[in-house]
Amino acid sequence: MLPRTTDDNLLDNLSYADLFKYSRTCKDAQNTVSSYMRRKHKLETVLGKYFTDAQILYFRHLQATTGMVISGSTALQFFERILYPESDLDLYVEHRYRRPIALWLASIGYRYVAARKTFRSEHHDAGDGVSITATQPTLEEALAVDVPQLTEGPINYGAHRPTIFFYGSGGGYLDATAILNFQKVDEIGQHRKIQIISSPRSPVEMILNFHSTCVMNFITHEKAYSLYPRATFEERRSLICLFSTAARARAWAKYTERGWTMLDGITGDDFHDLDSSLARGRRYVGDSKTWTIPILPKIDTTCPEDLVEMNSWSLHYDQYLKPHLEFSLLISPQLRFCYLVVDEFLREEIWKIRILHKTYCEGDQHYDWFVKPFVTRYLTETIV
């Protein structure tokens, strides 16, 4: 068996498809590739410049309790086996759970940096007061800003019946409630930047509204997920999902420089091929088309289980073969988090869970873990 460093030098130059083929040649090759993958896909590799090992462990506990995910270029680097020196750490979380994350960052030496100007969401009228980048002079003032859980309107199930389903929305990167900037200078003089990007609803909704599919990747406390892995890492294709703006054009140019072909739509062959890497149809986080990597070591059993695989959506194309992602939102006081729901049939199944109809929450009691088996069974039985 070759030394580990020699293995890395050789295997770094293979694509994931080639690694898979090589691993199937013999038992030794399988063990070599498995060991290599464990070394390459360590969370410490992408978080080491921001946190110590002990801090990374606590960070994962924060992820478990708040539903925070890592996304943006950091998640992409985790899958790519490379590091972008100029990249920042982007953390996505429901707005109501941003406080403990922000206070923890401040406690370990990160300084809140107020933005010089306020941006407003492209998805809302300028007059509705939806502030994005935090300009408040202190962290406490920034955290004091609260907003309602904005929705696109209810999906009604009849008069006088509680509403727990809402229409999902597009809107892109700036469809955020707030962006809190933090900076720190490390012991070698390097500036480290972290952004907490809070969502009025589910962070997964924001990720599905990113500019293109190559950045639709994220990391929870338990697993890393790439939603369109074959297109992203094997074919180096990225499907543009939003209309063009100056900021998005710059983002597309950046990823073109990094080796991706940006697609303004798909071909007829892609549309008719249900095995295409960008095939239309229903999906859920963690399905057979998702690349899922466990985050090791596992953290202690007192942490809440990961609930992100309850999120589902559907990819459609219009007559011009332009993409559109569809889903509705499940929002209830009885649930700790907001979830994406793929279709009306799943909504009907969830609607039967009567506890979700209660309009108030008793203490800190939530029923996400009660709902999960119903959602998981439906998704695994109906989506291949």
Side-chain angles (χ1 to χ4, degrees), residues 329-342:
L329 298 165
L330 169 61
I331 302 175
S332 168
Q334 307 306 317
L335 298 174
R336 182 167 178 79
F337 302 115
C338 168
Y339 298 96
L340 278 57
V341 180
V342 66

Side-chain angles (χ1 to χ4, degrees), residues 55-154:
Q55 289 168 349
I56 290 173
L57 183 61
Y58 188 82
F59 174 85
R60 291 177 64 192
H61 280 267
L62 272 177
Q63 286 188 283
T65 55
T66 64
M68 170 181 59
V69 302
I70 303 167
S71 194
S73 61
T74 299
L76 186 61
Q77 292 170 77
F78 180 86
F79 284 99
E80 274 272 88
R81 299 173 287 167
I82 62 173
L83 295 176
Y84 302 138
E86 75 283 2
S87 66
D88 305 325
L89 178 60
D90 294 336
L91 308 176
Y92 291 79
V93 68
E94 285 194 38
H95 185 71
R96 52 186 164 165
Y97 299 125
R98 72 204 182 284
R99 172 176 284 272
I101 305 166
L103 294 180
W104 178 71
L105 288 176
S107 75
I108 62 170
Y110 279 89
R111 179 174 58 89
Y112 163 73
V113 180
R116 294 182 178 179
K117 61 180 179 178
T118 296
F119 297 93
R120 295 189 183 275
S121 171
E122 297 175 355
H123 195 57
H124 298 86
D125 293 332
D128 68 2
V130 180
S131 177
I132 299 300
T133 308
T135 58
Q136 292 78 14
T138 69
L139 178 58
E140 276 302 327
E141 288 177 280
L143 292 175
V145 176
D146 208 356
V147 296
Q149 199 170 35
L150 299 169
T151 64
E152 297 302 300

Side-chain angles (χ1 to χ4, degrees), residues 217-233:
N217 318 288
F218 60 93
I219 305 171
T220 71
H221 72 286
E222 285 189 337
K223 298 175 184 177
Y225 299 92
S226 177
L227 302 184
Y228 293 94
R230 188 150 54 95
T232 301
F233 301 109

